[in-house]
Amino acid sequence: MIFAAEKRCEMNVKKTERTPKAPKGNPYMGFLWGILIVLLLNGLIFPKIAEQQIVETDYGTFIEKVDSGQVKDVAIESNRIYFTTEENDKTVVYQTGEANDPRLVERLLNADSPNENHKIAFNQIVPRENSPLLNFILMWILPGLIFYIIWRQASKSIQARMGAGGNFLSFGNSGAKIYAESDIKTTFADVAGQDEAKETLKEIVDFLHNPGKYAEIGATLPKGALLVGPPGTGKTLIARAVAGEAKVPFFALSGSEFVQMFVGMGAAKVRDLFKQANEKAPCIIFIDEIDAIGKRRDTAMGNDEREQTLNQLLTEMDGFDGRKGVVILAATNRPESLDKALLRPGRFDRRVQMELPDLEGRKAILAVHLKKVKHEAIDMDIVARATAGSSGAELANIVNEAALRAVRMGRQSVTTPDLEESVETVLAGAQKKNAVLSATEKKLVAYHEIGHALVAAMQTHSAPVHKITIIPRTSGALGYTMQVDSGEHFLLSKDDLFNRIVTLTGGRSAEEVMFGTVTTGASNDIEQATKLARAMVTRYGMSDKYDMMGLETVNNAYLGGDTSLACSADTAADIDKEVLLVIKQAHQKAKDIISTHQGLMHRAASFLIEKETITGDEFMKIVGGTLS
Ligand code: ADP
Ligand code: MG
Ligand code: ZN
């Protein structure tokens, strides 16, 4: 999302501007002004005695001066006495400490003075109290003000640290502005294949274009559509394409963006989102990776924040008027983990399945991405067939890798070999140019690979060999045999699967038969063969013993598809025996094939050692005896 960083900055700036009452931006200035005013008031209200030079003297001197009739007037404060005398026609102000003298008043009354009436003018100054208003301001408002300012600054800085989405101590709304993209260039033309998905979504586009047509009949469109499929199949892409086609604002958020640090924040964000969407209707809300908030609410260890967010989402989806033209799209690759309430009619009732592309789909995706690079005539068929099981994202990556390779080779455009090489790079890692294998190791690798290829070639129901190479790859593969199916298979028979296992054991069998040894090189083969054999027994009902009994369930069909056993421990142990039986049979079959074709093995292997990479055609010619 290109807009994220910049827009968020902008938002923070706006917030600062909103800070109230501060003359020209700085929030501390108001506070300083306040203090200054208080000081000025103090200066006006408190008595101003200190206008003249005051001479400090002791109480004895004061009494002496009173008794000798020099004192003109006296001002008595709570703990201080000020008095003036006439000395050389000049008034001098003295001050002295108050000595708690009970006879002071009597003394002053009786004493003589240079005043006209020969009386000392004296009075007690009541210590002046601050006005109640000022006291109130000083005691209550000012500290409050100071705390408020500190709190504002603190919460603001915490907010900034938590990112723009975060919010602290201000409940009610999430404060986060959700930006709608308005001119999206992505269209359905950018999404290759996925015709069924496009068909479903086109209806939504049409609805957003002219809702009246639907309202006339009284039809309401589904409020939400859930895009489901393995990663990289174009779910995010097609959601953008819907917005691009419908030419409406597009609110895109990821499910994880709702999950906040504090309980209630995510729900507030959902509320905000729907409020803003309602204002912009018709528009599309897209929640990517919705499983982050939409997980089933059944775990003992509940997550309050997530559940509240989900509840809010459910409420909002119920609450808004479908005819207004707000369509909610969501994407996930774990649909089975979603809360059932999300999937019921009236919410995400329409499910759009995005599958891994088939052969035609792969060709189409390659074509879409090849449009973006300069290329010569490309044999799409061969590339598409070599990439069975690849997702759209992987195909996009393959095209880009091919373009990079073309640049590396100093060419102006992408060729078919570029694509073929990049297929291998993506699937098996880059070529390791400087890995030097010893002659014996190289020989062993060659026989291992030819073993796979020969076993494959000697069986029916087995995909033809496309390429054999013993150039090491960065993934750790020292060599590999690539088989490419000529067509597309939707069903695999028991024989197909068994033959696959036989082919996988072919490499190790070659080591055993030709060298009388075994190496670590077969580890990957073993893993794959075991997986296949296990699936045959536990999931595909291909063992006599367990017939059609399901012994394993698949958990995340779209994410690797890990399985968990659904049977007793006894059965589990017995399954292992069944699996072993299948593998042993396959291994024996492979060894038999290689033993009977040792001459072929030698010929093909020496050819491979010399060339390092041979094509399927060359290999088949050796097998057919026309090449040696
Ligand atoms: P998902 O959200 O399903 O994980 P994306 O939509 O993010 O996958 O796809 C990632 C990239 O893969 C896209 O940007 C696009 O380049 C490419 N891609 C995936 N599927 C397709 C498709 N059907 N047609 C064209 N490109 C695709
Ligand atoms: Mg995605
Ligand atoms: Zn192998």
Side-chain angles (χ1 to χ4, degrees), residues 190-192 194 230-237 365 368-369 392-393 396:
D190 296 311
V191 188
Q194 309 293 4
T233 43
K235 297 185 294 297
T236 309
L237 184 71
I365 293 172
V368 162
H369 289 280

Side-chain angles (χ1 to χ4, degrees), residues 19-23 25-35 140-158 169:
T19 310
K21 281 168 257 152
N26 188 343
Y28 290 117
M29 281 307 283
F31 174 54
L32 291 179
W33 276 114
I35 287 184
W140 297 102
I141 305 230
L142 201 63
L145 201 72
I146 291 169
F147 275 113
Y148 176 74
I149 289 166
I150 291 171
W151 169 78
R152 261 197 84 93
Q153 290 302 316
S155 75
K156 205 176 283 174
S157 74
I158 285 171
L169 295 180

Side-chain angles (χ1 to χ4, degrees), residues 448-449 452 479-481 503-504 506-508 511 521-525:
H448 179 111
E449 295 308 331
H452 284 303
Y480 60 86
T481 304
T503 305
L504 283 166
R508 163 62 68 84
E511 292 173 22
S523 61
N524 185 258
D525 300 335

Side-chain angles (χ1 to χ4, degrees), residues 577-588:
K577 282 188 206 141
E578 284 291 306
V579 173
L580 182 61
L581 209 68
V582 175
I583 293 172
K584 273 197 165 158
Q585 281 172 1
H587 192 177
Q588 193 53 50

Side-chain angles (χ1 to χ4, degrees), residues 139 146 178 207 305 385 456 495 535 558:
M139 300 259 311
I146 291 169
I178 299 141
F207 170 75
E305 163 63 358
R385 276 197 285 119
D495 280 344
Y558 294 132

Side-chain angles (χ1 to χ4, degrees), residues 117-128:
N117 52 7
H118 301 281
K119 287 276 175 233
I120 299 175
F122 74 94
N123 70 330
Q124 172 109 28
I125 298 170
V126 182
R128 174 88 64 159

Side-chain angles (χ1 to χ4, degrees), residues 474-490:
T474 47
S475 67
L478 296 174
Y480 60 86
T481 304
M482 211 168 137
Q483 285 174 274
V484 173
D485 250 318
S486 45
E488 192 95 24
H489 289 295
F490 298 101

